[in-house]
Structure formats: C-alpha cells, structure tokens
Amino acid sequence: MYKILKKKILNPTVTLMEIDAPFVAKKAEPGQFIILRVDKDGERIPLTVADFDREKGIVTIIFQVVGATTEKLNHLNEGDSICDFVGPLGVPSHVEGLKKVAVVGGGVGCAIAYPIAKKLHQLGANVHSIVGFRNKDLVILEDEFKVASDAFFMMTDDGSYGKKGLVTDALRELLENGEQYDEVIAIGPLVMMKFVCKLTKEYNIKTIVSMNPIMIDGTGMCGCCRLTVGGKVKFACVDGPDFDGHEVDFDESIERAKMYQPFERKAHEEVCNLFKKEVH
Amino acid sequence: MPNMSLKRNEMPTQPACERNKNFKEVALGYSAEQAIDEAQRCLHCKHKPCVSGCPVNIHIPDFIAKVAEGKFEEAYQIITESSSLPAVCGRVCPQETQCEQKCVRGLRGESVAIGRLERFVADYHNENIKTAAKAVQKNGHKVAIIGSGPSGLTCAGDLAKKGYDVTIFEALHLAGGVLVYGIPEFRLPKSIVQKEIDTLKEIGVKVETNMVIGKVISIDELLDEYHFEAIFIGSGAGLPRFMNIPGENLNGVYSANEFLTRVNLMKAYKDHNDTPIQHAKKVAVVGGGNVAMDAARSAKRLGAEEVYIIYRRSEAELPARHEEVEHAKEEGIIFKFLTNPIEILGDEHKFVRGIKCVEMELGEPDESGRRRPIEKKDSQFTIDVDSVIMAIGTSPNPLIKSTTKGLETQRWGGIIIDEATGATSREGVYAGGDAVTGAATVILAMGAGKTAAKAIDEYIQSKKK
Ligand SMILES: Cc1cc2nc3c(=O)[nH]c(=O)nc-3n(C[C@H](O)[C@H](O)[C@H](O)COP(=O)(O)OP(=O)(O)OC[C@H]3O[C@@H](n4cnc5c(N)ncnc54)[C@H](O)[C@@H]3O)c2cc1C
Ligand SMILES: Cc1cc2nc3c(=O)[nH]c(=O)nc-3n(C[C@H](O)[C@H](O)[C@H](O)COP(=O)(O)OP(=O)(O)OC[C@H]3O[C@@H](n4cnc5c(N)ncnc54)[C@H](O)[C@@H]3O)c2cc1C
Ligand code: SF4
Ligand code: FES
C-alpha cells in the first residue's frame, strides 16, 4: 500500500498528490511515469511523475479528473492509501546538451511539462515556457513554471487570463520574431501536439512530444500503447513516452484514444452516482 | 487384476452450451471412485516409460498405485518429491505429448489418464489436508528471484526449503506470471494459483509486487546494494509479436497478451470492474497455440456470436493441447485451417470491420520438420469481424538484458545459459523458463527453476569455503 501524504486541489478538476513511494522516488527522472491502481478491483492507469524528493521518498502526481479512476482517486484524502504504484516507467526525457528550448504545455499536460522545464532550467538552459488552458479557472502550476523559465507565456482559449488564443499562436509569434530554439518540447492533448508539430515543421525545429496512449501494464508486454513513429510500430510505455513529433502518426493515435470511450463514459457515470455527483 | 478397459474414464465437464457463457472451470475433475477406477488401469510397467516422458520425472506408477489403494495423501507426497505445482500441471500440461504419449496402455486403446489423476490427487490434498508448513532452519543467505511465473515460484520454493532467505520481485501487481494473466479462470482457477503462492509465503518466501527489475532496481543493484548473493531470472517471454500487416493498429486489434491480461488479470469480464474490454460480436483469433485457444474461448464467453481461429497450417499441426482444441470445438469456435491473414480492414472510424485472408497449402517440411505453408494463388477472401486478436507468439522482454551489463542473450532475446545449471554469463546470475527458451510450457519452466535452485545452492555453499 502506498500512502497519500499530501493532497492539494489545484483547480476544480486537477489535483496534486504526494505519495509515499521510496523506490519510485529513488530512480525517477523527468519524462517518466508511474502506473497506479486505486483499489483491488481498480484498473491500472498511467500518470506522470510531476516531481519527486529522493531523500524523503516522495513522488508527486498531478491528475485531471476525467473518468472513473481519476474520480475515485480524487475521493481519497491525506492518510489514505492506494493499492498499487509502480515505476518509474518509460524512458527519461533527453535534456542534456540543450541550450535554448521552448516548453509548450496544454492543460493538465503542463504537469508533465513542468518537471522537464525545471530540469532544463537546473541544467542552465534558456527556457521559454508557453502554457495554455481553456479558461482562467483551469490554470495550474503558474508560479512553478515562472520560476523555471526565462520567459513565460500564458494563453487561455477564451482570454479570461493571460493572452487570448492557443499555444500555437504564441509559439508562432515567437518564431516569427526570430527566436531560435534547439528544440521544442510539446506536451498536452494530442490535437495540440499535432498542431505544434505542424508549425515547427515549417521552421524545421526538432520537436519532442510526450504521447499518452491507453496503457495497461506499462512494461512492454501487451502492445496496447502502440503507435506509429517514422513508419514503425513503437510501444509508448517502453520506447517512449517521448517521441520525435515530426515522425508520429497523430491521426492514428487520436483514433486509438477513442477505443473505450463508450465504456469510459458509463463507468464514470457509475462512479459519480456512487459519490452522488453530476457528470460533467 | 487391473482394469483392462481400453478407454479411460471420462472427466465430467460443464455442458458446452452453458460453459461458453461463464468463466467457471470447464473440467470438473474425477470423483474418488473414478480416480481409483482409472488408477487401476495402470500396469506398473517395470521400465516405466511414462516417467521418461515427464519433464520432471514424477514417479508416476508409484503415485498411481497409491491412488488405486485410496491413499491419496501418500500419492500427493510422491508427486511433490518431483513437482511443486501439481494442481497446475495436472490441468495445463500437454500430457498427450509427454507422459501419456509414452504410456504402454496407449498402444492399444487409450493411455492411462495420468494428468487427470495428478490433478485429482493435488485437489484432494488442497481441499482436505491442512498441514502447517514445516519450519526450516534459516541459513542466512539471500537470493533474489525475478518474476513469479512457474519457473520463479519453483526456484523460490526449492531454495526456501533449503533455508535460504528468498525474495521474489514481480513487475505486475499480482504474482503468478502467465498462470494469472494468461491462462484463463475456466482452465486454471486463480484460487489454485493463489494457494500455491500462499504456501510459499508460509515457508518464508517474500513476494514484492510492483517491482519492475531493470527499472525500479537493476540486477547490479540487487547484487551490490541489496546484497543478494545470487539471482534467478524467470521473467518469461512476454513481448507480443505482431504480423506487420496493414491495419494492425486499428481499434479492435489486440495482442493476445493485452486481451488476456484485460480478461484474466484485470477481470474485465466481471460487470463491476473498472478495466474495459471490447465485447465484440465477431472475432478472429490468429494462431493455433494454447494462447489462441484461450483468447478464442474467452472472446466467446464475453458474448461473441462467431469466433474464428485462423491458422496457417492444418489441424494436425495445431500446437495447442489436444483437450483444449476439443473443448474449443464443443463450445462453437470455428476453425479456419490453412488460412493466413494479409490485411485487417477498418471502417471510417478506424474500428475493425473485417480480415482479409488467403488460403494456404502445405509444401515441403521446414527445419522444424513441419510442412511449410505456401500461399495459394488467387485465393483471397474476407471474413467480417469486429475484433482481431493476434496470438502468433511472444519473445523475451528486452528490459533486463538492456539494463544488465554482460548478460549474454541470443539474437532473438533468449538469455544464454549453461543447460546443466542455468548459469548465465554473469557470475551468480541464473536464468530459466520462457526467458531462456522462448514461449514453452509450465512444466519445462518448473524444471528449469529446479535445476537453477540446485545450482544456486551449490554456488553459494562453495563460496562459503
Ligand atoms: C504516459 C502517460 C502519462 C500520463 N500522465 C498524466 C498526468 O500526469 N496527469 C493526468 O491527468 N493524466 C495523465 N495521463 C492520462 C491519464 O492516464 C488518463 O487521464 C487516465 O487514464 C484516465 O483514467 P480515468 O479512468 O479517470 O478515465 P477514463 O474513463 O479511462 O477516460 C476518460 C476520458 O479520458 C480519455 N483517456 C483515457 N485514457 C487516456 C490516456 N491514457 N490519455 C489521455 N486520455 C485518456 C478517454 O478517451 C476519455 O475521454 C497520462 C497518460 C499516459 C499514457
Ligand atoms: C495464454 C497462455 C496459455 C498457455 N497455456 C499453457 C498450457 O496449457 N500448458 C503449458 O504447459 N503451458 C502453457 N502456456 C505457456 C506457459 O504458461 C509458460 O511457458 C510458462 O508460464 C513460463 O513460465 P516462466 O516462469 O518462464 O514465465 P512467466 O509465467 O511468463 O512469468 C514471468 C513473470 O515475470 C514477470 N516479469 C517479467 N519481467 C520482469 C521484470 N523485469 N521484473 C520483474 N518481473 C518481471 C512477469 O510479469 C511474469 O509474472 C501458456 C501461455 C500462455 C500465454
Ligand atoms: S506407462 Fe502407463 S501403464 Fe505403464 S506404468 Fe506408466 S502409466 Fe502405468
Ligand atoms: S502498456 Fe502494455 S505494452 Fe505498453
């Protein structure tokens, strides 16, 4: 059992938890993820290691409540435990040797982008962060990003905070103004990553994306997380989750993410009924 | 006077039309009377051909003699001298190519039902005998086992009985390997596997789940930082293979590993479980081994109306256990022999809508001695399905190799060992089971675990001097 040491509500749908998991904390690197199971009938879901404290043996996760499992998780409190918590999984992000980088985060993807921005900053790189949210209420990790960035750009779809527009609008402006990046790192919804890649392709800037396909084991034994990169089949849980965005077949990944949609909606409603809550 | 009936006693089963809608065990096992009657068919041959057919050389006629006398617990003790998972092996071993193939009674009529008797004896013991585990004097030496499949469980059990402090590290959240995530409940009830693991825990074996060795801890760290004196790698062959044909990434195409993991390990077939699974109406399973049979029969139980097994050779070459093929047929699985898929077709939402196949014919035998299937010209046809399960084999996961310096493997990923001891190219590191041989059988994995346990004991004892 893995104890929840701290719980913090970041916005109405996003929660941060600190978990007592010394083995994971000891090895985790930015870009890696864990798989957890809330209870003994639970499913296994992947979440990124948002932060870690090796000495105290603590791992931070930040998750958005989108379905049955994240809803269940969100109902646990400090002092409660979760059943299974395994990691770190996947390959750490490559951050060495980068001098100037644009980190682009969309929504809860910012939780995945943040540890990478922080690591780059620690390594002395010049970090430009562009983060985007649907509206002001959904903003997370603003202060943390500011500390880790040399320049910071906040975008909201409806203009309720920061600048109105999409992250691609901000990135385009920077590129048009002649900013040169060694690399762009884009993390967020598939559609967002797809369009960031389309843009950076025009400028021929290497772009790394963090893919988030459906996973089960997360150790490479099932192929559920497969995607096509450069015409080859890769397993995101062992070969990724980071890939060269210009090589990824996004349209295929977008379709594959819909595999269990009807089931997920039903499961979510059931859990919400359990907790007597409205389904959003 | 032995029972000279040419036929073996039938084992009662759930009726096919009922069982293909539930996940309860199909074969119900012998009653005591049936077992005694069947045991009386054994001739107690002096040269014991059946024993040589058993990969771990169980003293078959001896245990059968005890069954014939109704001394079931004594029979159990004889089996467990050689085998550590009899309730499992009695259910899943391909006896028709092992002990029963060698049985003298099989020359005229049917061989003695050795597997069914083994199963009966093990079940009898598990239900009736509650012996407290014998306390073993600890010898103060630590051994780590990677993987909790049959090879790891066997190795752990043998070492613990010798007094070693044994820890099993398992990547998944439940121990058992293929016995829990691969082979379905209707063939191997999970309570039986759990019982075996509990027995190991009683004799002091520690089981650490959620530990992916190579990620969470490396082999070198186990040796240097955690001070294990020897390691056994029993990590299996869990990496699924795909065919690399168009359409394999469509929604509704599963590897058998994914499908069976969802069904068995995650219990996706139960209504109130969180893990989803597609309840397809028409399913094609590609392959002809046990994995294919298990996937097909599971799909049927999830409510599929038509389930096809697509196999590129003929019925005679099917590698699956004979009994499972029979059960699959009774349950209404449709076999398409000499058929090979060339493309999976999708609809506009990228969900599977069909599988395009060609007919095959058998040519000359290949290196394995089996006749090579060759494509027939202009024989394309399409089967309408909404799900495809690929069960065409697996290979060892490269994770351990890629994170362990100096661990030599074959080009296809199998760990290279000294067959007599299980020793790998790294001192103190042993390996066995599917991780070495590629996908094989439960009993061979157990045998490898035993061999390695013996060698590990000798290695640690020799170091002491
Ligand atoms: C490597 C990796 C890292 C991830 N890191 C984080 C993270 O740090 N924080 C976070 O909030 N989420 C993260 N995700 C996504 C997270 O795993 C899903 O949100 C979660 O599995 C949803 O579970 P659920 O049962 O609550 O919802 P479900 O009922 O399973 O799904 C609800 C909705 O979410 C979509 N969905 C399902 N699975 C995924 C998935 N794997 N990725 C994206 N959308 C999905 C479904 O299409 C559906 O619309 C990560 C995913 C991967 C693969
Ligand atoms: C669906 C199916 C049906 C089968 N039916 C039969 C049958 O009827 N009869 C028969 O004889 N054989 C059958 N087999 C084959 C048989 O199950 C295997 O040969 C046997 O289980 C191999 O045992 P093993 O100990 O080598 O590995 P496995 O049983 O594969 O166990 C390996 C374990 O190691 C764990 N692991 C892997 N990597 C790591 C790591 N890095 N760190 C920690 N743990 C790790 C895995 O999670 C797994 O639990 C079947 C196989 C399948 C898949
Ligand atoms: S070969 Fe058959 S008849 Fe002979 S001892 Fe073995 S089981 Fe009995
Ligand atoms: S999640 Fe199973 S292989 Fe990646």
Side-chain angles (χ1 to χ4, degrees):
Chain A
M1 294 297 255
Y2 302 79
K3 200 163 178 178
I4 298 166
L5 302 173
K6 186 172 157 192
K7 177 180 178 183
K8 192 171 152 197
I9 312 283
L10 299 186
N11 76 30
T13 64
V14 179
T15 303
L16 174 151
M17 281 182 178
E18 290 183 2
I19 313 288
D20 179 25
F23 279 113
V24 186
K26 194 164 173 216
K27 280 285 176 69
E29 292 289 347
Q32 291 188 297
F33 64 96
I34 56 94
I35 291 226
L36 64 77
R37 222 162 55 107
V38 175
D39 53 32
K40 74 175 199 342
D41 290 325
E43 66 176 330
R44 297 167 64 100
I45 65 158
L47 294 172
T48 304
V49 173
D51 211 341
F52 49 82
D53 183 330
R54 297 211 201 284
E55 249 137 61
K56 296 199 185 118
I58 297 173
V59 176
T60 306
I61 50 172
I62 297 177
F63 59 91
Q64 183 164 30
V65 180
V66 293
T69 301
T70 43
E71 181 81 55
K72 262 196 200 170
L73 183 59
N74 200 33
H75 272 80
L76 297 180
N77 290 307
E78 283 174 15
D80 292 340
S81 289
I82 51 183
C83 193
D84 297 291
F85 194 86
V86 54
L89 302 170
V91 181
S93 298
H94 291 288
V95 284
E96 275 78 28
L98 296 175
K99 300 239 155 35
K100 188 165 180 183
V101 184
V103 177
V104 185
V108 74
C110 291
I112 309 174
Y114 167 66
I116 299 170
K118 182 174 149 191
K119 178 91 185 195
L120 282 163
H121 182 71
Q122 280 169 359
L123 291 173
N126 186 340
V127 180
H128 287 186
S129 298
I130 306 165
V131 297
F133 299 93
R134 279 211 309 282
N135 61 51
K136 182 169 190 248
D137 293 340
L138 301 179
V139 170
I140 55 168
L141 298 173
E142 182 178 359
D143 296 337
E144 287 82 349
F145 259 109
K146 279 184 175 158
V147 172
S149 314
D150 298 278
F152 176 77
F153 307 89
M154 167 70 69
M155 308 295 289
T156 47
D157 292 8
D158 63 355
S160 53
Y161 196 58
K163 244 178 137 181
K164 182 174 159 77
L166 305 171
V167 286
T168 38
D169 299 333
L171 182 61
R172 182 179 290 281
E173 202 177 311
L174 287 165
L175 293 172
E176 275 172 1
N177 289 339
E179 290 286 358
Q180 305 271 342
Y181 299 111
D182 300 343
E183 204 172 278
V184 170
I185 299 176
I187 304 173
L190 287 167
V191 182
M192 176 211 112
M193 294 193 285
K194 175 179 163 176
F195 283 101
V196 168
C197 290
K198 229 173 144 183
L199 171 62
T200 57
K201 183 95 190 169
E202 290 171 29
Y203 289 83
N204 223 345
I205 305 172
K206 180 164 182 190
T207 302
I208 298 298
V209 295
S210 178
M211 298 300 284
N212 51 11
I214 299 172
M215 292 187 178
I216 306 179
D217 57 299
T219 67
M221 66 162 243
C222 77
C224 166
C225 63
R226 65 194 187 274
L227 71 169
T228 306
V229 182
K232 293 209 178 72
V233 174
K234 301 275 177 186
F235 289 4
C237 70
V238 287
D239 302 320
D242 289 1
F243 292 98
D244 180 340
H246 293 153
E247 303 238 293
V248 168
D249 183 342
F250 280 105
D251 294 339
E252 180 185 89
S253 292
I254 288 169
E255 297 295 347
R256 281 186 68 78
K258 295 180 189 155
M259 176 74 198
Y260 293 107
Q261 248 170 15
F263 181 97
E264 282 155 357
R265 216 165 293 132
K266 181 167 154 275
H268 190 192
E269 279 166 25
E270 276 175 10
V271 170
C272 289
N273 285 340
L274 199 68
F275 296 124
K276 295 277 179 287
K277 196 174 135 188
E278 258 183 55
V279 182
H280 32 252
Chain B
M1 182 59 201
N3 168 355
M4 288 314 288
S5 159
L6 291 183
K7 285 201 159 299
R8 52 170 62 188
N9 270 330
E10 285 296 328
M11 179 157 55
T13 53
Q14 271 193 73
C17 56
E18 254 170 51
R19 70 180 191 239
N20 67 12
K21 296 178 190 66
N22 68 50
F23 277 82
K24 285 188 266 190
E25 193 171 20
V26 167
L28 303 173
Y30 279 158
S31 65
E33 295 71 39
Q34 286 167 318
I36 290 171
D37 189 56
E38 179 66 26
Q40 283 166 347
R41 292 184 62 229
C42 174
L43 303 175
H44 304 287
C45 316
K46 281 232 161 49
H47 61 303
K48 304 174 187 170
C50 50
V51 177
S52 66
C54 169
V56 297
N57 305 126
I58 294 176
H59 306 303
I60 292 168
D62 299 354
F63 101 73
I64 293 183
K66 294 294 176 194
V67 177
E69 292 169 35
K71 295 182 178 156
F72 304 138
E73 178 59 14
E74 286 178 39
Y76 180 78
Q77 295 304 333
I78 294 171
I79 296 177
T80 50
E81 280 168 30
S82 320
S83 164
S84 19
L85 303 172
V88 174
C89 288
R91 287 174 164 81
V92 304
C93 275
Q95 289 96 1
E96 68 270 19
T97 61
Q98 300 178 3
C99 55
E100 291 177 12
Q101 188 185 41
K102 297 275 172 74
C103 175
V104 169
R105 293 296 309 264
L107 296 176
R108 264 187 69 240
E110 292 180 339
S111 62
V112 175
I114 303 169
R116 293 174 185 178
L117 289 173
E118 177 185 22
R119 167 190 162 138
F120 167 79
V121 166
D123 287 356
Y124 174 87
H125 171 87
N126 286 345
E127 272 156 36
N128 299 295
I129 309 293
K130 305 250 175 315
T131 38
K134 268 185 248 143
V136 190
Q137 179 78 32
K138 289 271 177 222
N139 69 10
H141 295 282
K142 276 172 66 171
V143 179
I145 310 276
I146 301 169
S148 61
S151 68
L153 294 177
T154 305
C155 189
D158 280 18
L159 287 168
K161 283 178 202 153
K162 291 197 168 88
Y164 287 90
D165 180 357
V166 182
T167 309
I168 299 181
F169 294 98
E170 168 55 50
L172 294 173
H173 58 263
L174 260 187
V178 170
L179 308 181
V180 298
Y181 80 71
I183 304 179
E185 179 80 16
F186 58 81
R187 210 144 72 74
L188 180 63
K190 300 304 152 232
S191 56
I192 290 176
V193 182
Q194 194 52 49
K195 174 110 189 19
E196 302 292 359
I197 291 162
D198 291 344
T199 310
L200 285 182
K201 286 186 179 163
E202 276 170 33
I203 61 172
V205 173
K206 288 171 230 150
V207 182
E208 301 284 350
T209 50
N210 295 328
M211 288 296 220
V212 187
I213 301 304
K215 282 284 177 194
V216 186
I217 307 178
S218 70
I219 295 224
D220 289 283
E221 287 165 343
L222 285 175
L223 292 167
D224 302 339
E225 267 177 54
Y226 295 88
H227 307 296
F228 286 99
E229 290 162 76
I231 294 182
F232 173 76
I233 306 174
S235 52
L239 182 73
R241 220 172 281 153
F242 287 94
M243 292 187 80
N244 298 319
I245 56 174
E248 253 177 330
N249 288 354
L250 289 167
N251 286 339
V253 182
Y254 292 89
S255 74
N257 265 10
E258 179 188 349
F259 183 76
L260 290 169
T261 299
R262 285 181 183 272
V263 173
N264 299 322
L265 181 69
M266 307 310 298
K267 305 256 176 292
Y269 64 86
K270 290 194 178 163
D271 261 354
H272 286 283
N273 206 281
D274 293 347
T275 304
I277 187 118
Q278 187 192 19
H279 290 254
K281 288 271 164 288
K282 296 181 180 185
V283 182
V285 179
V286 183
N290 287 317
V291 183
M293 298 307 138
D294 287 346
R297 296 170 70 196
S298 298
K300 187 91 192 178
R301 284 161 169 76
L302 288 171
E305 286 149 18
E306 284 168 32
V307 181
Y308 300 90
I309 294 257
I310 298 184
Y311 182 55
R312 64 198 181 111
R313 301 180 200 251
S314 70
E315 176 154 17
E317 283 87 11
L318 273 182
R321 283 183 86 219
H322 183 67
E323 183 172 275
E324 310 314 328
V325 176
E326 288 310 309
H327 283 163
K329 283 185 183 163
E330 288 163 16
E331 288 164 16
I333 308 294
I334 306 158
F335 285 77
K336 292 270 180 200
F337 294 113
L338 291 164
T339 303
N340 205 29
I342 52 170
E343 184 179 352
I344 300 166
L345 308 168
D347 64 15
E348 68 272 33
H349 303 295
K350 302 281 186 215
F351 276 78
V352 173
R353 69 170 173 84
I355 185 165
K356 199 192 274 180
C357 302
V358 287
E359 288 173 29
M360 310 292 279
E361 54 197 357
L362 291 181
E364 294 300 307
D366 60 14
E367 319 82 67
S368 75
R370 292 189 301 179
R371 295 175 61 194
R372 194 192 299 272
I374 310 166
E375 190 176 323
K376 265 196 213 166
K377 265 217 167 86
D378 304 321
S379 62
Q380 278 190 16
F381 66 101
T382 299
I383 309 175
D384 291 340
V385 291
D386 48 8
S387 183
V388 174
I389 301 170
M390 287 291 170
I392 53 165
T394 54
S395 54
N397 190 317
L399 182 59
I400 287 182
K401 181 212 152 54
S402 65
T403 54
T404 312
K405 278 185 293 305
L407 184 73
E408 281 171 26
T409 59
Q410 315 272 6
R411 209 165 338 120
W412 51 267
I415 300 173
I416 297 177
I417 56 158
D418 169 3
E419 290 215 4
T421 60
T424 67
S425 54
R426 282 284 306 266
E427 190 192 326
V429 180
Y430 295 74
D434 285 4
V436 167
T437 56
T441 60
V442 171
I443 191 80
L444 287 173
M446 285 174 43
K450 266 194 138 26
T451 306
K454 187 161 166 281
I456 287 172
D457 179 40
E458 283 162 11
Y459 165 73
I460 291 178
Q461 298 307 325
S462 72
K463 260 201 331 188
K464 269 201 314 200
K465 283 166 201 154

